[in-house]
Amino acid sequence: MYTALRLQRKLRSDEAEVTVVTPEPYMTYQPFLPEAAAGSISPRHVVVPLRRVLDKCRIVIGEAQRIDHSKRTATVSTLATADEGTGPREIEYDELVLAPGSISRALPVPGLADYGIGFKTVEEAIGLRNHVIEQMDIASSTRDPGVRDAALTFVFVGGGYAGVEALGELEDMARYAARYYHNIKPEDMKWLLVEASDRILPEVGPEMGVYTIRELRRRNIDVRLETRLESCENRVAVLSDGARFPTRTVVWTAGVKPHPILAATDLPKNERGRLACTAFLTVEGVEHAWAAGDAAAVPDITVPAGTAEGPGRECAPNAQHALRQAKVLADNLVHALRDEVLTEYAHKYAGSVASLGLHKGVAHVYGRKLKGYPAWLMHRAYHLSRVPTFNRKMRVLAEWTLSGLFKREIVSLGSLEHPRAEFELAAGGGHKAPPPNPAPNPPQDSQG
């Protein structure tokens, strides 16, 4: 989106036509997903409508299934493909910008495909919020201690930004919501963070990572390092340290992998499946092909050649690099069309900020380490400055202001995921069978 936005500003209408192929008609500002899940921001303010922002571009809502760069064609399946009955369409191009991002990296854990919940899209974030409140409703209404225990146990797998921020915000929200339940107390809920490595939030440094663990454990969140999820079959989370937790909530945030479309191209890739790129953001050894973001393996030229890290280090696949790469890519594409000199991408990593819930956070920016309220404030200020369009900035700021003056919303709108259920019942569809209950008498955690 940022590349197309800059291109439509810099290119004349008679110079080029910009076509954007995307499966969704909006761009998601992912750093705000945890706050959307906690109810601090409305879901519609986490996304940016492409047709409004890219008003000079041609928007095609669909998915690229194959890219044949030797022929300069992209095979695209649109929303109308099934109804047309003519199969996917081919779109010809002169210059290709490939920036599909990444997808969740799901490991072959038994039961994960059946019970796991991702946290990478706005739909998943809002679905998780509804799910957590629904579990509290189940726990409040059941007379079965086993069902109640499973409903109030929440397992998050992955100690990166997504996992820690989602856990911190949702635990904060659920603890607040518990005051409105006559038979649920915050201490009745179990929150677990499972991380395979020996630390969490590596981006903020070891010291802030240790502080984060201490802060989470102070809130009675069970943080387990060097631990893996072995299975979640039958709604029982089995960890590599032998612990077993009956649970109805397993949130999977254990890393990402390159988008599958990269494998369906004839472009060169590195050993991890990302596009091999130059510092000019062109695809290595190929003309008229460009890439940026998570899909691109861009060399980090800010690292001195004589250091221990040595040459060959790549830019981290994060939003900080992606936003800046988009700007350089658009400029270089314009330069290439006008036979001008290209510019290398060079950005030294400035640092990281992370939210751990309302008024809580950690930050490591330009060598300065912050924690607590100052870090949380910096987190909000930074992302408010980065969210695209003045419209969205003002809406987010207004919602933050109102949330500081009034109480949190604790409404679950889970029926949004099945909008036709009520009409199907009215039309004679009858009641649907309830989902299966957890396994009878599941084994309890041997570690207490």
Side-chain angles (χ1 to χ4, degrees):
M1 191 209 76
Y2 279 99
T3 300
L5 181 63
R6 195 166 181 85
L7 286 175
Q8 78 173 10
R9 290 173 178 171
K10 292 209 161 195
L11 292 172
R12 300 186 307 272
S13 58
D14 62 339
E15 196 171 8
E17 178 188 42
V18 180
T19 299
V20 179
V21 178
T22 171
E24 304 293 348
Y26 54 79
M27 186 212 77
T28 303
Y29 190 72
Q30 291 188 336
F32 277 160
L33 288 184
E35 292 208 43
S40 300
I41 302 177
S42 172
R44 67 183 184 278
H45 297 157
V46 178
V47 298
V48 180
L50 296 182
R51 295 191 187 278
R52 176 183 294 175
V53 176
L54 304 178
D55 57 323
K56 296 180 181 178
C57 298
R58 176 189 173 205
I59 308 295
V60 177
I61 305 302
E63 294 190 31
Q65 297 182 338
R66 185 173 63 259
I67 296 176
D68 189 345
H69 191 65
S70 62
K71 298 180 180 178
R72 309 262 190 101
T73 61
T75 303
V76 178
S77 175
T78 69
L79 294 177
T81 297
D83 292 331
E84 290 174 343
T86 56
R89 58 190 287 194
E90 282 196 352
I91 298 179
E92 296 181 350
Y93 61 82
D94 298 301
E95 301 284 342
L96 172 69
V97 175
L98 200 51
S102 56
I103 63 172
S104 296
R105 182 188 61 189
L107 301 179
V109 176
L112 183 62
D114 298 319
Y115 302 111
I117 302 173
F119 196 78
K120 195 162 175 58
T121 67
V122 66
E123 293 86 358
E124 288 175 329
I126 305 310
L128 181 56
R129 168 187 169 80
N130 292 334
H131 175 83
V132 168
I133 297 177
E134 185 180 80
Q135 298 312 303
M136 297 178 71
D137 291 335
I138 291 173
S140 177
S141 59
T142 185
R143 290 178 291 181
D144 186 328
V147 172
R148 175 185 169 90
D149 184 54
L152 294 180
T153 300
F154 306 94
V155 179
F156 287 69
V157 183
Y161 275 121
V164 172
E165 290 194 328
L167 171 59
E169 293 283 357
L170 284 166
E171 190 274 340
D172 212 21
M173 182 270 294
R175 183 157 30 86
Y176 175 87
R179 69 180 66 181
Y180 297 101
Y181 289 82
H182 70 282
N183 57 351
I184 295 180
K185 299 177 181 179
E187 52 267 28
D188 294 336
M189 294 182 280
K190 298 177 186 175
W191 297 82
L192 288 88
L193 179 63
V194 179
E195 168 55 39
S197 69
D198 60 352
R199 61 176 177 167
I200 65 173
L201 292 180
E203 297 88 351
V204 298
E207 182 181 335
M208 291 295 97
V210 170
Y211 166 81
T212 302
I213 293 175
R214 189 165 63 247
E215 168 67 18
L216 293 177
R217 286 175 174 166
R218 189 183 65 80
R219 292 158 58 179
N220 292 322
I221 296 174
D222 188 350
V223 180
R224 303 201 175 201
L225 303 180
E226 299 183 279
T227 307
R228 299 179 308 279
L229 177 68
E230 299 284 355
S231 168
C232 57
E233 287 184 305
N234 300 320
R235 294 188 184 275
V236 177
V238 181
L239 307 184
S240 59
D241 61 4
R244 301 167 67 90
F245 295 92
T247 179
R248 299 170 63 94
T249 308
V250 175
V251 183
W252 184 266
T253 61
V256 296
K257 63 180 180 181
H259 195 282
I261 185 57
L262 301 187
T265 72
D266 54 352
L267 299 172
K269 293 168 281 290
N270 66 6
E271 63 279 1
R272 290 186 295 278
R274 298 166 71 193
L275 293 176
C277 294
T278 69
F280 299 104
L281 301 177
T282 59
V283 178
E284 202 169 75
V286 179
E287 293 184 342
H288 309 292
W290 312 74
D294 287 10
V298 180
D300 188 352
I301 64 174
T302 64
V303 179
T307 62
E309 294 170 331
R313 175 177 166 180
E314 299 169 356
C315 296
N318 56 37
Q320 186 176 142
H321 280 298
L323 293 179
R324 289 167 172 82
Q325 287 172 3
K327 177 181 177 181
V328 175
L329 192 159
D331 289 345
N332 278 347
L333 185 47
V334 173
H335 293 327
L337 293 176
R338 297 173 180 172
D339 293 324
E340 298 172 350
V341 179
L342 304 187
T343 304
E344 287 187 315
Y345 172 74
H347 170 67
K348 194 170 183 180
Y349 192 61
S352 301
V353 290
S355 171
L356 305 178
L358 191 62
H359 301 161
K360 297 175 282 289
V362 290
H364 188 188
V365 181
Y366 293 115
R368 289 179 173 271
K369 300 171 184 177
L370 299 173
K371 54 189 178 183
Y373 184 83
W376 173 83
L377 193 61
M378 177 175 285
H379 173 271
R380 282 201 162 182
Y382 173 77
H383 287 300
L384 184 65
S385 70
R386 293 299 174 182
V387 68
T389 78
F390 180 77
N391 180 305
R392 284 295 179 271
K393 293 181 195 295
M394 291 300 100
R395 289 180 182 273
V396 169
L397 183 60
E399 287 196 311
W400 281 344
T401 302
L402 290 174
S403 65
L405 299 174
F406 300 99
K407 296 180 179 180
R408 282 179 184 246
E409 292 289 347
I410 58 168
V411 177
S412 168
L413 296 176
S415 58
L416 288 175
E417 300 164 29
H418 308 284
R420 296 190 66 247
E422 183 68 21
F423 184 77
E424 288 174 352
L425 177 62
H431 288 282
K432 294 186 177 180
N437 290 324
N441 300 320
Q444 302 296 315
D445 176 23
S446 58
Q447 301 180 9

